[in-house]
């Protein structure tokens, strides 16, 4: 009898195999071939195929073996498993791009071969990257990475620019508090302050850029907002790399909350000064972490 602890793992591996190879309904699933591919004995594979038959994903034909009963593309991935898998691929692409291991232009087929990922999985990650602004889709199935900050000098200059314009944005006559946006920002910063040790890197970065971009929206000047969004886009990769060091995150969140307090107290000069100091200090500390 197959070990009960092994069969569920083989079920998951069979489903991964089916999705990755985009197998269609009616495709033969030979137990011995799967056992050889997974480097296990035949027994847990047979047990897993029986489980999948009970679930209606596989059908068993007498004297012929097991066959896929549905298209692989129609088999859903558990949300938790999908999120973890996509995050791993996302950050691997980010690290490889930062390290210079990926060329400016790549096709989907090249990326699938490099990462061993099925097309549907890869495309979800690429569209996520495109939405964040550091890759563009080309005609056909090609993708091109955008320019990003990779040097200490450029990264430091980006922080100098941000500090200057974000401080001035708070002093514009057009600045208006958005109560709902402020309340949401406060909630997100308090949550980050509580969970920073275990939070996903992309969530950390997104939470903090949302804070700064929210302030630029309150300035009611599209040029300030657009400038900050452009800088955030091109610094994203280095930020993901740097946020492996989380020692400053509690102070960062507390300063964000203090800036909100000062603005709500209508002390705009103090808020602008703190925002400037906050950004410059963050830049000084983070630039030292760049390899």
């Amino acid at each position: 009898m197959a070990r009960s602890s092994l069969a569920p793992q083989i079920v998951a591996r069979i489903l991964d195999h089916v999705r990755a190879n985009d197998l269609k309904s009616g495709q033969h699933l030979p137990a011995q071939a799967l056992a050889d591919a997974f480097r296990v004995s035949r027994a847990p594979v047979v047990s897993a195929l029986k489980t999948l038959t009970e679930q209606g994903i596989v059908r068993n034909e007498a004297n012929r073996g097991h066959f896929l009963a549905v298209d692989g593309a129609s088999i859903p991935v558990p949300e938790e498993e999908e999120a973890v898998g996509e995050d791993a691929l996302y950050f691997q692409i980010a690290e490889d791009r930062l390290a210079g291991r990926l060329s400016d232009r790549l096709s989907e087929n090249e990326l699938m071969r490099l990462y061993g990922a099925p097309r549907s999985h890869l495309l979800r990650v690429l569209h996520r990257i495109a939405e964040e602004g550091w890759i563009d889709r080309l005609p056909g199935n090609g993708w091109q990475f955008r320019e990003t900050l990779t040097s200490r000098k450029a990264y430091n200059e980006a922080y100098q620019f941000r500090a200057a314009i974000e401080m001035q944005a708070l002093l514009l006559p057009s600045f208006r508090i958005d109560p709902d946006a402020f309340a949401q920002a406060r909630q997100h910063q308090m949550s980050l302050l509580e969970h920073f040790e275990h939070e996903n890197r992309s969530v950390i970065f997104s939470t903090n850029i949302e804070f700064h971009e929210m302030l630029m929206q309150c300035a009611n000047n599209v040029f300030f907002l657009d400038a900050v969004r452009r800088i955030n886009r091109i610094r994203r990769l280095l930020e993901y790399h740097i946020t492996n060091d989380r020692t400053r995150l509690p102070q960062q969140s507390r300063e964000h909350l203090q800036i909100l307090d000062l603005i709500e107290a209508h002390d705009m000069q103090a808020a602008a000064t703190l925002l400037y100091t906050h950004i410059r200090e963050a830049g000084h500390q983070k630039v030292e972490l760049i390899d």
Side-chain angles (χ1 to χ4, degrees), residues 67-84:
F67 296 82
L68 196 59
V70 297
D71 289 342
S74 70
I75 302 174
V77 180
E79 289 186 8
E80 181 177 351
E81 176 186 330
E82 182 176 26
V84 171

Side-chain angles (χ1 to χ4, degrees), residues 28 42 59-67:
H28 187 208
R42 194 171 184 276
R59 69 174 185 273
N60 183 29
E61 297 184 8
N63 302 318
R64 295 194 63 213
H66 293 86
F67 296 82

Side-chain angles (χ1 to χ4, degrees), residues 158-271:
Y159 266 82
Q160 289 175 342
F161 178 75
R162 282 188 57 216
I165 67 166
E166 290 191 38
M167 175 183 69
Q168 290 302 318
L170 265 59
L171 300 175
L172 292 175
S174 58
F175 191 95
R176 296 289 184 275
I177 294 173
D178 181 334
D180 291 338
F182 267 49
Q184 185 178 62
R186 189 179 296 278
Q187 179 183 0
H188 288 172
Q189 291 300 316
M190 292 178 68
S191 177
L192 188 56
L193 187 59
E194 183 178 354
H195 303 294
F196 74 94
E197 290 181 326
H198 309 291
E199 190 59 89
N200 181 287
R201 283 179 289 172
S202 62
V203 172
I204 292 171
F205 183 73
S206 295
T207 299
N208 289 326
I209 65 168
E210 284 170 6
F211 174 84
H212 288 273
E213 291 181 4
M214 180 274 292
L215 293 180
M216 296 304 98
Q217 287 178 320
C218 289
N220 289 294
N221 186 307
V222 295
F223 294 99
F224 281 80
L225 176 60
D226 182 63
V228 171
R229 281 178 171 168
R230 287 175 183 272
I231 290 293
N232 285 337
R233 184 185 68 214
I234 64 174
R235 72 185 178 95
R236 185 179 290 268
L237 287 186
L238 272 180
E239 287 286 339
Y240 283 163
H241 184 66
I242 289 170
T243 48
N244 282 322
D245 175 65
R246 302 176 180 228
T247 56
R248 192 179 180 277
L249 288 177
Q251 179 185 349
Q252 179 174 281
S253 290
R254 285 192 289 267
E255 288 176 358
H256 285 166
L257 291 169
Q258 188 178 356
I259 290 166
L260 294 177
D261 289 341
L262 289 169
I263 294 174
E264 289 176 333
H266 304 289
D267 193 344
M268 301 306 293
Q269 187 61 59

Side-chain angles (χ1 to χ4, degrees), residues 1-48:
M1 173 183 274
R3 286 184 295 153
S4 59
S5 60
L6 184 57
Q9 298 176 31
I10 302 302
V11 168
R13 294 189 68 179
I14 291 173
L15 293 177
D16 285 343
H17 169 76
V18 168
R19 295 190 200 95
N21 292 280
D22 195 22
L23 300 185
K24 305 298 182 185
S25 177
Q27 179 78 42
H28 187 208
L29 298 173
Q32 190 58 54
L34 291 171
D36 292 342
F38 301 154
R39 297 184 180 181
V40 297
S41 66
R42 194 171 184 276
V45 173
V46 171
S47 178

